[in-house]
């Protein structure tokens, strides 16, 4: 069911319930008030008659009947009957001749006990009133039709019914237009979103003037679009850089082959060319390997195998790995402030990726320092495990500290060192999918310290 219709029906249902309650309340209280009035009037009538009858020595009954006929004009078809203590009818007056009523003894007894008793007889309402004084004990039953009261009650019922029906129809119509206005911003947002595509990512949803919930929604969607746009641009840059990095050695290989094939050459020449091609291919292979790792780390953590990983064990492998890349590289591990339990050195993560991230930073420390030495410390800081990688190398300018985490970015003056500019970007991505962070402290020409914070397993850091 469309939301618009749902809002209309809900709104109409609410008003229907409220109107029903109000109308029934008004009707009920009016009905009660009429009932009280008729009871009081019939009781008064009974009281007067009883007083007059108890003085029968003074008034004759014909006079009492004349008084009964002359009073309370709005009470139609009056009947007044009086009974003595033996339930004998001692007086009777009827507006309509012959309109006597049968009163059950139980009613008379009830009136004697309670003072008055209200009841209905035919279309009349009646009150039995008990009068007792030193001279007599009477029960006077006065009955009549409350023509005025009933007429007013029925007029009120009609008015309420008309208002109720008209009110509900009006609410249905008003609710339909009201929900239209309410949902207008949603339509606007949908239209705006439909116009935005991968090719038109710079467009944004208009947020409107008032800072209401629709504004919040449009604002949130715009922030999402900002992130999407950034991510698209990042990918575009990344692909273009990666293609460039791959096409350069391919061009070199192709031109080397072309030149050497132009004429017959000696075995030594061919060996040199093949050696050079081999190096280029090796470099391309390393690059594709890194690109694959990048792709793996670019997704969400959901697609990766996560398990508890001992960080100290990953670090222990670093000296051999560094020496494997370059025999001059030296890595010294220091476990100074280690917690007593091995459990506290666990990180919940993907071991190969974590190992790659730390290795990249450690290799950089060896690569960008004259002594090719990296010092690695491991400690626990509250809910985090902290790996510090320290070197006494060339240092990093403050202005470069953010940029070195961008893919393919290399500091110009160090670009003769072997590398693609992907190591730190990959390390940063891996640490981020493990909900950790990397910080840098560096001084130009004095050295650099990389701080890798990783949440310890079993914590919600
Ligand atoms: P690569 O080392 O392949 O160039 P990285 O992404 O690993 O790429 O590093 C980006 C840049 O950051 C490097 O080119 C280098 O200039 C700088 N850098 C990284 N680590 C260090 C370090 N320990 N000392 C000095 N400069 C560093």
């Amino acid at each position: 069911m469309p939301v618009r219709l749902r809002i209309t029906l809900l709104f109409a249902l609410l008003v229907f319930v409220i109107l029903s309650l109000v109308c029934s309340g008004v009707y009920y209280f009016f009905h009660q008030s009429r009932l009280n009035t008729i009871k009081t009037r019939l009781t008064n009538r009974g009281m007067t008659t009883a007083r007059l009858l108890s003085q029968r020595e003074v008034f004759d009954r014909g006079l009492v009947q004349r008084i009964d006929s002359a009073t309370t004009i709005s009470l139609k078809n009056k009947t007044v009957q009086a009974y003595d203590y033996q339930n004998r009818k001692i007086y009777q007056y009827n507006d309509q001749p012959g309109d006597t009523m049968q009163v059950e003894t139980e009613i008379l007894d009830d009136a004697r006990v309670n003072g008055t008793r209200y009841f209905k007889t035919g279309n009349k309402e009646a009150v039995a009133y008990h009068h007792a004084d030193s001279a007599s004990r009477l029960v006077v039953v006065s009955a009549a039709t409350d023509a005025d009261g009933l007429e007013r009650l029925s007029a009120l019922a009609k008015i309420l019914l008309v208002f109720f029906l008209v009110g509900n129809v009006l609410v249905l119509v008003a609710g339909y237009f009201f929900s239209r206005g309410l949902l207008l911003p949603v339509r606007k947002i949908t239209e705006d979103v439909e116009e935005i595509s991968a090719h038109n990512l710079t467009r944004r949803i208009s947020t409107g003037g008032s800072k209401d919930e629709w504004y919040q929604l449009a604002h949130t969607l715009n922030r999402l679009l900002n992130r999407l746009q950034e991510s698209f641009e990042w990918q575009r840059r990344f692909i273009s850089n990666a293609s460039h990095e791959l096409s350069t050695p391919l061009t070199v290989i192709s031109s080397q082959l072309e030149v050497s094939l132009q004429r017959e050459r000696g075995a030594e020449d061919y060996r040199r060319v093949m050696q050079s091609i081999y190096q280029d291919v090796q470099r391309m292979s390393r690059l594709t390997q890194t690109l694959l790792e990048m792709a793996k780390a670019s997704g969400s953590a959901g697609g990766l195998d996560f398990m508890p990983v001992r960080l100290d064990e990953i670090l222990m492998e670093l000296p051999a790995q560094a020496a494997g890349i370059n025999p001059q590289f030296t890595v010294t591990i220091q476990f100074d402030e280690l917690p007593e339990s091995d459990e506290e050195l666990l990180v919940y993560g993907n071991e190969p990726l974590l190992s790659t991230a730390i290795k990249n930073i450690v290799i950089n420390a060896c690569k960008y320092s004259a002594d090719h030495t990296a010092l690695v410390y491991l400690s626990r800081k509250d809910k985090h495990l902290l790996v510090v990688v320290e070197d006494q190398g060339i240092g990093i300018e403050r202005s470069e500290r953010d940029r070195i985490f961008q893919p393919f970015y290399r500091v110009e003056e160090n670009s003769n060192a072997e590398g693609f500019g992907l190591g730190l970007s990959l390390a940063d991505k891996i640490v981020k999918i493990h909900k950790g962070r990397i910080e840098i402290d560096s001084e130009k020409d004095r050295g650099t310290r990389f701080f890798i914070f990783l949440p310890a397993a079993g914590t919600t850091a």
Side-chain angles (χ1 to χ4, degrees), residues 14 18 35 57 61 83-84 88 105 145 167 179 200 205 216 244-245 282 292 327 329 331 377 396 403 415 435 452:
L14 266 176
I18 293 171
L35 202 63
E57 301 84 12
R61 292 182 185 193
Y83 297 84
D84 66 7
R88 281 183 308 218
T105 354
T145 312
S179 59
N200 192 12
I205 301 162
Q216 295 286 348
H244 176 75
E245 286 291 325
Q282 285 273 301
L292 276 175
F329 289 176
V331 179
Y377 305 92
I396 305 165
R403 277 185 264 173
S415 55
K435 297 194 171 71
I452 308 164

Side-chain angles (χ1 to χ4, degrees), residues 360-361 364-369 391 393-396 403-406 408-412 414-415 417-426 442 447-448 450:
N360 284 356
I361 293 172
N364 276 351
C366 298
K367 214 161 60 171
Y368 298 107
S369 52
D391 67 61
I394 56 177
I396 305 165
R403 277 185 264 173
I404 55 174
F405 288 102
Q406 290 169 12
F408 296 103
Y409 184 82
R410 310 195 70 200
V411 178
E412 194 66 42
N414 318 326
S415 55
E418 165 82 3
F420 305 109
L422 285 174
L424 282 184
S425 153
L426 178 58
S442 181
T448 306
F450 277 85

Side-chain angles (χ1 to χ4, degrees), residues 184-193 196 203-227:
L184 208 64
V186 180
R187 250 215 346 251
K188 188 89 196 44
I189 290 174
T190 315
E191 280 166 12
D192 280 358
V193 171
I196 298 169
R203 265 209 64 166
R204 290 292 174 267
I205 301 162
S206 62
T207 45
S210 56
K211 296 210 163 178
D212 51 14
E213 282 81 354
W214 300 129
Y215 170 88
Q216 295 286 348
L217 176 66
H219 199 61
T220 310
L221 285 173
N222 280 342
R223 282 209 307 266
L224 174 75
L225 286 169
N226 286 346
R227 288 200 296 277

